[in-house]
Each structure stands twice: as C-alpha cells, then as structure tokens.
Amino acid sequence: MAYTLTSDPAALAGSAQCCVCKVELSVSGQNLLDRDVTSKSDPFCVVFVDIDGKWSEIVSSKKMTRPLALTNGKPAGKGTITISAQEISDNRVITLSMAGRKLDKKDLFGKSDPYLEFYKQEEDGKWMLVHRTEVIKNTLDPVWKPFSMPLVSLCNGDVEKAIKILCYDYDNDGGHDFIGESQTTVAKMSEASNSMEVEFECINSKKQKKKKNYKNSGIIIVKSCKVIRDYSFLDYILGGCQLMFTVGIDFTASNGSPRDASSLHYINSMESNEYLAAIWAVGQIIQDYDSDKMFPALGFGAQLPPDWKVSHEFAINFNPTNPFCTGVEGIVQAYTACLPHIRFYGPTNFSPIINHVARFANQAIPQQVAAQYFILLIITDGVISDMDETRHAIVQAAKLPMSIIIVGVGNADFAAMEFLDGDNRVLRSYTGEEATRDIVQFVPFREFRNAPKETLAKSVLAELPQQVVQYFKQRNLPPVNSDPA
C-alpha cells in the first residue's frame, strides 16, 4: 500500500520572518494485519499534526471501498509504515481526462467495473501508487472524471519519467481483477488536447504469454492533458506582487473622549490602546510586503476643523492630497497627532472608506500580471450605521484585487461584523447580488488582549493568502516574474 498526500499551507504566518513551503508526504505500508474475514483489509492512513499541544487531522488518504469513520476504523497494529517527505519547489499541476475502450469483460453476469491506478517510479525502482480514479460500473467503455494533482506527485516533475497506468475491474470482496497496464510519460500524454486524443494499449502480460493471437485487453485513452502552474501566495509575493495597505480608524463618539482614561483612544506612557495595538500587530507584518512602505491612513466618524463638518473619509495627517504615512511608525505618529484636533462624532459608516480603497483597486484591474493587491484594515468599536451601503460596497469590492480586515475593539456587540465575514454564508448586496468571493475577515480584539501580538496578527491575516490567490487565479494572472509551465 502506498499513498502520496499533499497539503497547501497558509503562506502568511504570524511572523514576517517565517518561511513556509509546501511539502509532499509519501506513506507506504507492508505486511499490515488483515482485519477482514472474507477479504483483505481496506487500509487507509490519516495524518495528524501537533498544533499547540492538540493533535489535528490535516489530511487522509482516499479509501478504495466504503468510507470509514476514524472512530470505527480498526488499527492495523502490525506491519511496517514508511513515511518520506520532500519539499515541493515545482508548482506545476497536471489535469488529466481519461477514458477506456473495449476493455476486457471480467464479470460473469455483467461487463466490468473498471478503474485506473497511476504509479510513479521511485529512486529505488519501486512503483508507488499516487492516484486512483473512481469506479465506473458495468461498462467496457468507461469515461472517468477529470482529476488534477501536483506534477511532482506523478513524475517528480520529470515529464520524460516513466508512468504506469493499471486498469482493474472492481469487486466488492476486494479481489479486484487485473485487466491490463500501460506505460507512458507526461510528455507523451501532453500531446492530447480537446481535438486530439492519445491512446495506449492496455496489456495483460499473463494473457499475452498464453495466447499467440493476443492483441490487447482494451485501449486506455488520454482525452486531454494540461500542465499549468498552480501559484501559491508565496509565488505571487516572491514574484513581485505588492500588498497596498490602508488603515481606516473609527473616531465616533462611542469610543469616548481620548482625554478620558476609559476611552478606547486613550493613550498613556505606560501602554498603548487597542487601536494602536491592532495597527502595530497587522501593520508590522503587511509592511514587509510593500516595497515603498507608504500607507494611506484614513479616519471616519469625526468632526474636522475648521468648519467641524462630519467626515467619514479623511486623511488623519490632514493632507487629503497625500494621505500616505511612512511605515507603521508614520501611521502611529499621524494617529497620535490628530487626536487633539478632531471631535469624535458619528455615525459609524463603513461604505465611504471601503469605496475609497475600491477606487484605487479598480485601477489595477487591467493589470496583465499579479502586480498589486489592496488591503483595507478597519479598526472600529461599534455597530455599523450604513449596513446596506456597506454590504453593497463589499459585494462590489469582491470583484477587485482587494481584501477587508475588520478588527473590533472594546466590548460592543459585533454581530453585524460577523455577518459581513462570509465564512458561513454568501454575502449579498441589498440588490440581491452575491459576492463573487469572501474578502472580509473579522477579528474581535478582546479575544487577544492577553495573547502575544503574533497571535493576533496570525488570526487577522489567516484568510488573506487564500483571498489573494483566489483573485489572481480567477483572473488567470501569473506573478510578475514567473516561468511558463
């Protein structure tokens, strides 16, 4: 028994110095204990990782027969398990569409129930199972569902390396009948396209030796074969993508006067407030992914001098033509300096600041490569006043290279924020339009008050890598610096 398991980790961790790579685990077993009475065992393996002292399942191999709940699975208890790991530096993915024609009839009262197994050759010459198709019932001319897998899993990234394709007839008792096999390479299979198929004879060597007029046991058909690059978050970042970071700060009256020690904006020499803590935690990570480290910092919900009109979209450095701050330190300095010069007011409107960043993200749509992605960090204490407009703004922003992170400070009811975080439902605009993707991550600061700042940053940025990759994949945009597949 042998399986190849891969898992794609979130690339943006809680530390900018943390380098994350993709790893392929190969698990094989020998001489496992037979747990079935009338047939052989149906072994599968489950891989766990120790996360903060708790074992969490990260991946399990595909089972050949009926699925088993882990709690009902019987431990083999005997035999040899071999696990090997290798770093995956090749990000190519192969997608195959396979079929068969005139396969041997193996069932007494029917045709055959064929499936395919794909094997790659290891350095020691042994063949390792890397993929198994679904079973197609009662046919000699099966068409299997297209499937994708990392190219390194199939041939270690070498398109000229030999691959074995074995065809079996599935039996319920586990004694699957061998139909035949073919050998090929990815280079040969890649000749297949939508207009031209590649065919291989399915050969049963035992039948071939016994029958002089033996031709084959059917034909294995490659209907299409595509090799593309499956770019990860790190591929985009290392390839030159810039994360354009903007901070939006809530200055509504519900925060309390910044001169009052009970205010969420109160600053003393002993410790920073929750707004500053959130800015530092997120900004220190994001700034490493922006080459010029110039970040717009905006405020909303305050009255501004000299006419004291309420603004929901103002530069906290009071320079509307140049709202950029130099690094996180510049944001902190501008925030601290503006507090004595504004009046906290309201209401709590999110849509103006979302639309502000969306206008710039919209300008990046014509990009031919993954050059820019925009991130808006909103730090707020209260309930949203313009929920309909905010929902509509987010649905429109989901079409753009943009993500929104909301950090809730204080002890308010943040049910509305959780509603915007579309983890459990698709967000809809008041017009009924659905968001094309989930771009909002909400994190309540109170859950991290006594935790290391790295823990807050990790939670806040947990969904960002996936959101970045999803957008660029939808647009078929490669990294700025990339090699063709």
Side-chain angles (χ1 to χ4, degrees):
M1 178 190 77
Y3 298 98
T4 299
L5 314 172
T6 58
S7 181
D8 188 9
L12 193 61
S15 170
Q17 287 74 36
C18 178
C19 183
V20 182
C21 63
K22 188 184 294 186
V23 174
E24 178 184 87
L25 291 178
S26 296
V27 184
S28 62
Q30 294 180 331
N31 302 318
L32 300 181
L33 186 63
D34 190 352
R35 305 296 300 187
D36 293 344
V37 177
T38 59
S39 65
K40 295 181 179 180
S41 294
D42 304 316
F44 66 96
C45 64
V46 183
V47 179
F48 293 83
V49 64
D50 185 354
I51 301 177
D52 298 328
K54 294 182 180 180
W55 291 100
S56 299
E57 178 181 337
I58 56 171
V59 67
S60 70
S61 63
K62 293 183 178 179
K63 279 73 75 176
M64 180 60 211
T65 56
R66 63 192 180 281
L68 285 171
L70 183 61
T71 52
N72 295 330
K74 303 173 183 177
K78 179 182 179 182
T80 302
I81 299 293
T82 302
I83 301 177
S84 60
Q86 69 177 100
E87 179 180 340
I88 300 178
S89 56
D90 188 334
N91 59 8
R92 288 176 294 175
V93 170
I94 184 170
T95 299
L96 288 167
S97 179
M98 306 293 298
R101 184 173 70 246
K102 295 182 179 179
L103 299 178
D104 281 355
K105 177 181 178 295
K106 290 292 185 178
D107 294 342
L108 183 61
F109 299 108
K111 295 179 180 180
S112 288
D113 305 317
Y115 66 90
L116 298 178
E117 290 184 344
F118 289 76
Y119 289 79
K120 75 172 179 181
Q121 193 167 28
E122 297 289 67
E123 297 300 326
D124 59 3
K126 294 181 180 179
W127 292 93
M128 173 175 283
L129 172 65
V130 294
H131 182 79
R132 182 184 287 125
T133 68
E134 77 279 12
V135 176
I136 306 296
K137 291 287 188 177
N138 197 30
T139 181
L140 303 181
D141 303 298
V143 178
W144 290 280
K145 295 177 182 178
F147 66 91
S148 300
M149 64 189 305
L151 192 64
V152 292
S153 296
L154 183 61
C155 62
N156 288 337
D158 182 355
V159 298
E160 299 293 346
K161 191 177 182 67
I163 298 165
K164 268 189 181 182
I165 306 175
L166 274 59
C167 185
Y168 286 92
D169 166 50
Y170 173 82
D171 287 333
N172 287 327
D173 63 3
H176 314 300
D177 299 316
F178 178 67
I179 294 176
E181 72 175 80
S182 305
Q183 281 202 28
T184 184
T185 64
V186 169
K188 180 63 179 176
M189 291 191 294
S190 294
E191 297 174 7
S193 64
N194 293 329
S195 59
M196 183 179 70
E197 298 175 343
V198 173
E199 299 183 352
F200 305 99
E201 288 187 311
C202 187
I203 303 297
N204 187 319
S205 57
K206 290 184 178 179
K207 292 182 67 173
Q208 189 178 44
K209 291 177 181 178
K210 291 180 180 179
K211 296 183 179 181
K212 291 183 179 181
N213 61 345
Y214 176 82
K215 187 177 181 182
N216 57 54
S217 293
I219 302 295
I220 299 298
I221 304 168
V222 183
K223 296 174 66 66
S224 69
C225 174
K226 296 179 181 178
V227 177
I228 63 171
R229 292 204 177 273
D230 184 27
Y231 296 110
S232 67
F233 176 75
L234 281 181
D235 290 325
Y236 288 115
I237 295 300
L238 297 177
C241 180
Q242 297 290 304
L243 300 185
M244 317 300 286
F245 180 51
T246 299
V247 176
I249 301 174
D250 182 347
F251 292 111
T252 55
S254 57
N255 285 276
S257 170
R259 293 179 293 275
D260 190 331
S262 63
S263 170
L264 293 168
H265 283 287
Y266 180 73
I267 301 175
N268 62 40
S269 58
M270 300 299 294
E271 60 182 355
S272 62
N273 60 40
E274 294 189 358
Y275 279 89
L276 284 173
I279 291 171
W280 278 112
V282 180
Q284 283 185 310
I285 303 297
I286 294 294
Q287 71 174 356
D288 288 330
Y289 299 94
D290 190 321
S291 58
D292 65 10
K293 293 178 173 50
M294 297 297 292
F295 308 120
L298 308 175
F300 61 93
Q303 294 177 319
L304 305 183
D307 54 10
W308 303 108
K309 289 184 178 179
V310 177
S311 175
H312 297 289
E313 181 190 347
F314 66 92
I316 64 173
N317 66 358
F318 298 111
N319 187 346
T321 61
N322 185 16
F324 293 88
C325 302
T326 304
V328 181
E329 295 85 354
I331 297 175
V332 170
Q333 290 170 7
Y335 163 76
T336 304
C338 86
L339 285 175
H341 302 290
I342 61 175
R343 295 174 183 171
F344 289 15
Y345 204 72
T348 307
N349 292 347
F350 278 14
S351 60
I353 202 168
I354 294 174
N355 290 329
H356 175 97
V357 176
R359 286 193 293 271
F360 291 92
N362 188 63
Q363 296 175 12
I365 284 185
Q367 62 186 335
Q368 300 300 308
V369 291
Q372 291 182 327
Y373 193 90
F374 291 78
I375 301 166
L376 170 59
L377 169 64
I378 299 177
I379 312 174
T380 183
D381 83 309
V383 178
I384 302 174
S385 304
D386 63 338
M387 177 57 85
D388 285 347
E389 292 80 2
T390 293
R391 284 164 49 204
H392 184 74
I394 292 173
V395 169
Q396 301 310 309
K399 305 171 187 176
L400 308 174
M402 178 175 170
S403 289
I404 301 169
I405 299 166
I406 304 174
V407 175
V409 296
N411 297 309
D413 180 2
F414 292 123
M417 312 297 178
E418 294 170 350
F419 174 80
L420 297 177
D421 189 336
D423 288 343
N424 300 318
R425 67 181 69 83
V426 177
L427 185 68
R428 287 182 172 85
S429 169
Y430 61 83
T431 64
E433 183 181 1
E434 292 186 352
T436 56
R437 58 194 184 97
D438 173 22
I439 65 168
V440 178
Q441 169 76 339
F442 169 71
V443 175
F445 186 90
R446 57 184 173 232
E447 295 182 5
F448 300 89
R449 282 175 181 150
N450 300 317
K453 62 180 181 180
E454 292 82 5
T455 307
L456 172 63
K458 184 176 181 179
S459 179
V460 167
L461 300 170
E463 296 180 6
L464 182 60
Q466 178 184 347
Q467 292 169 358
V468 171
V469 170
Q470 185 183 33
Y471 176 81
F472 290 132
K473 280 188 176 181
Q474 285 179 352
R475 297 282 175 147
N476 294 317
L477 297 179
V480 177
N481 302 308
S482 62
D483 299 321

